[in-house]
Amino acid sequence: MNRPQKKIDDLKQMNKETLAQRIRVVRGYYDKSQTEFAKELGISQSALSAIELDRGMPSADIIQKIGKMGFDLYWLLYGETPKKELSEITVTNTALNWEKIQINKILGSLSYEELRFCRQWLELYAKSLKKSDSK
């Protein structure tokens, strides 16, 4: 089984589990350590550990941050989606949104010249992919 399908299966399986377990699934989805994920959420690693062990409740702010990563808040809070099933499209869009957010964080620190270089490089890279696809 490939890694994205395993992640989708893990998410579906967690529908009946606790909020703490679903937060751990979200962290695992992004292949983040507790320290890395806690930093993204603006909390300490020990606070995240307590949440994942169901010894503490995440604040509304933490839940909102996870929602902004693209995860369905209804699923996060209640363990199910209104459709009763996570679709592959939802999971794929979540991953794409997360990557875009991370790229924008990096780009936000660059100068105009550096941004221009990145855009030109991306254009060349995209063209090379199209050429290799047409072979």
Side-chain angles (χ1 to χ4, degrees):
M1 179 182 308
N2 65 27
R3 189 169 176 87
Q5 184 60 47
K6 181 182 182 324
K7 288 181 178 184
I8 291 167
D9 292 344
D10 289 347
L11 288 170
K12 288 178 180 178
Q13 181 181 351
M14 294 304 285
N15 277 350
K16 298 203 178 0
E17 303 298 336
T18 67
L19 172 62
Q21 290 168 319
R22 289 188 295 277
I23 289 174
R24 190 173 25 237
V25 167
V26 171
R27 179 174 62 82
Y29 181 83
Y30 292 114
D31 292 323
K32 298 279 186 179
S33 68
Q34 278 191 342
T35 303
E36 293 168 328
F37 197 60
K39 186 176 179 181
E40 290 285 331
L41 296 175
I43 60 175
S44 68
Q45 180 275 327
S46 59
L48 179 59
S49 177
I51 290 168
E52 288 187 356
L53 291 171
D54 218 2
R55 294 183 182 149
M57 284 297 292
S59 67
D61 183 53
I62 299 304
I63 292 171
Q64 286 177 333
K65 287 179 181 179
I66 294 172
K68 287 179 182 177
M69 292 175 183
F71 276 87
D72 181 78
L73 290 177
Y74 194 85
W75 169 78
L76 184 66
L77 294 171
Y78 303 107
E80 57 188 48
T81 63
K83 294 180 182 178
K84 303 290 185 202
E85 185 177 317
L86 284 172
S87 71
E88 289 189 34
I89 293 170
T90 300
V91 175
T92 300
N93 287 340
T94 297
L96 291 173
N97 288 338
W98 177 255
E99 294 301 332
K100 289 176 185 177
I101 289 168
Q102 298 308 308
I103 289 169
N104 280 327
K105 284 181 183 179
I106 295 166
L107 294 176
S109 66
L110 300 179
S111 69
Y112 170 78
E113 292 81 18
E114 292 166 329
L115 285 170
R116 187 166 177 239
F117 172 81
C118 288
R119 180 188 51 80
Q120 291 170 340
W121 181 87
L122 282 170
E123 288 172 350
L124 289 172
Y125 180 69
K127 284 179 186 177
S128 75
L129 290 176
K130 288 179 185 176
K131 287 180 183 177
S132 67
D133 286 343
S134 64
K135 289 183 180 181

